[in-house]
Amino acid sequence: MKSCVDHMLDMELVSPLGVRVVVPTQLLYRTQDPLAVELLFHNSVHGLTPWIFARDLLTEGTRTPSGSGDVRIWPTGSRPTSLLHLLLSSPHGSAHLTAPLPAVERWLCRTYRLVPPGSESDALDLDTDLGRFLDGGR
């Protein structure tokens, strides 16, 4: 059984002055962590920068402004040129990124075909994880 859904796309980092810089980004979903999505930002200087947050948050953000704190997501525009905005914050600063909304929605649909909504707990192997934890992580 397939355990991962990934997709490469170019996101744009938007500066406060409106300058846009292309950031190659890998969208990654794994059945081992069925509640989360991971965005891997490729940077020639710093290598990969990962951001992990709830798949449900990303899904909600494709329809309406969502999130608070470290991750805020909202859609703008109309098809086929609609955009998804992500505002990511950390103690080191914040980043405003945009991505083509239709591409993100298609990838999310693939994740839901792999692990349907409401069945995320079925994809978790809690017995194995609990056994490892109780055995000192071995």
Side-chain angles (χ1 to χ4, degrees):
M1 176 182 181
K2 188 173 184 176
S3 64
C4 165
V5 178
D6 68 336
H7 179 70
M8 285 297 299
L9 63 80
D10 286 336
M11 295 187 84
E12 290 187 330
L13 177 63
V14 183
S15 80
L17 299 176
V19 176
R20 295 177 175 269
V21 176
V22 173
V23 180
T25 305
Q26 181 181 10
L27 307 177
L28 185 59
Y29 178 78
R30 296 183 182 114
T31 58
Q32 297 93 323
D33 193 359
L35 297 171
V37 294
E38 186 171 3
L39 278 59
L40 296 166
F41 302 107
H42 296 254
N43 178 316
S44 60
V45 175
H46 299 100
L48 292 177
T49 302
W51 273 86
I52 300 171
F53 53 94
R55 177 173 71 161
D56 287 348
L57 174 61
L58 182 59
T59 301
E60 185 179 327
T62 64
R63 296 184 294 267
T64 186
S66 304
S68 61
D70 294 349
V71 180
R72 295 187 316 172
I73 305 169
W74 67 96
T76 60
S78 58
R79 298 197 181 275
T81 59
S82 52
L83 293 175
L84 184 67
H85 296 258
L86 288 94
L87 183 61
L88 306 175
S89 300
S90 79
H92 306 291
S94 64
H96 176 191
L97 296 125
T98 61
L101 180 57
V104 175
E105 289 175 322
R106 283 190 301 272
W107 174 76
L108 274 170
C109 283
R110 291 174 50 213
T111 74
Y112 284 112
R113 281 195 298 271
L114 184 61
V115 178
S119 68
E120 292 87 355
S121 62
D122 298 340
L124 292 170
D125 187 357
L126 295 177
D127 290 335
T128 299
D129 291 340
L130 181 59
R132 282 190 193 133
F133 175 75
L134 294 174
D135 195 28
R138 289 179 253 157

